[in-house]
């Protein structure tokens, strides 16, 4: 987004040459500001002991690492959801098995009583 100074709101509408000159001066000013800002970035990067190209390469590598980590997190999230579903299924199966074991224990106890009764009567 470009933000123009308020002075450009009052461009002379009757004098296109003056209006163009004012816009050109503003563009030159912004180019100088941009060059100055980039120069400061280069100085700060140089003070850090790396070149701008090295800094760009490092930032690109960092961005790639962050993207890879995000992909890993996303895939792990899917795995965790899958595991949660499996745990839920296993819990239901365990409950069913517990009920069946309880029934088998009851049937076994009844059979033991019948066997004992037959042994005592026989």
């Amino acid at each position: 987004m470009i933000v123009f100074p308020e002075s450009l709101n009052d461009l002379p509408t009757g004098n296109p040459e003056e209006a163009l000159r004012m816009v050109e001066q503003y563009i030159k000013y912004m180019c100088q500001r941009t060059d100055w800002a980039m120069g400061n970035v280069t100085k700060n990067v140089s003070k850090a002991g790396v070149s701008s190209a090295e800094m760009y390469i490092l930032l690109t590598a960092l961005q790639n690492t962050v993207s890879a980590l995000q992909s890993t997190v996303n895939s792990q999230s899917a795995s965790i959801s899958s595991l949660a579903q499996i745990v839920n299924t296993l819990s239901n199966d365990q409950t069913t098995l517990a009920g069946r074991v309880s029934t088998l224990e009851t049937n076994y106890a009844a059979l033991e009583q019948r066997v004992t009764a037959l042994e005592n009567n026989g």
Side-chain angles (χ1 to χ4, degrees):
M1 178 172 125
I2 299 173
V3 178
F4 294 106
E6 289 184 22
S7 62
L8 290 181
N9 290 339
D10 298 325
L11 290 175
T13 56
N15 188 350
E17 290 177 8
E18 179 63 20
L20 183 59
R21 186 189 64 73
M22 289 174 72
V23 171
E24 285 176 342
Q25 284 178 343
Y26 180 71
I27 291 171
K28 285 179 186 177
Y29 166 75
M30 289 308 296
C31 287
Q32 290 171 350
R33 293 280 311 221
T34 302
D35 288 341
W36 179 80
M38 290 305 294
N40 281 341
V41 168
T42 302
K43 287 177 191 173
N44 290 338
V45 167
S46 295
K47 285 180 186 176
V50 294
S51 69
S52 295
E54 288 172 317
M55 183 61 79
Y56 174 77
I57 290 169
L58 292 172
L59 287 173
T60 301
L62 179 61
Q63 182 180 14
N64 291 338
T65 301
V66 169
S67 294
L69 287 172
Q70 185 63 48
S71 295
T72 302
V73 167
N74 291 342
S75 69
Q76 294 300 327
S77 177
S79 297
I80 289 170
S81 294
S82 177
L83 285 173
Q85 289 176 345
I86 291 169
V87 166
N88 190 29
T89 300
L90 288 174
S91 176
N92 293 339
D93 291 348
Q94 187 270 337
T95 302
T96 301
L97 283 173
R100 292 178 67 189
V101 166
S102 179
T103 300
L104 285 172
E105 287 173 341
T106 302
N107 290 342
Y108 179 75
L111 283 173
E112 275 189 326
Q113 288 175 354
R114 287 176 62 192
V115 167
T116 301
L118 285 173
E119 289 176 344
N120 291 337
N121 289 337

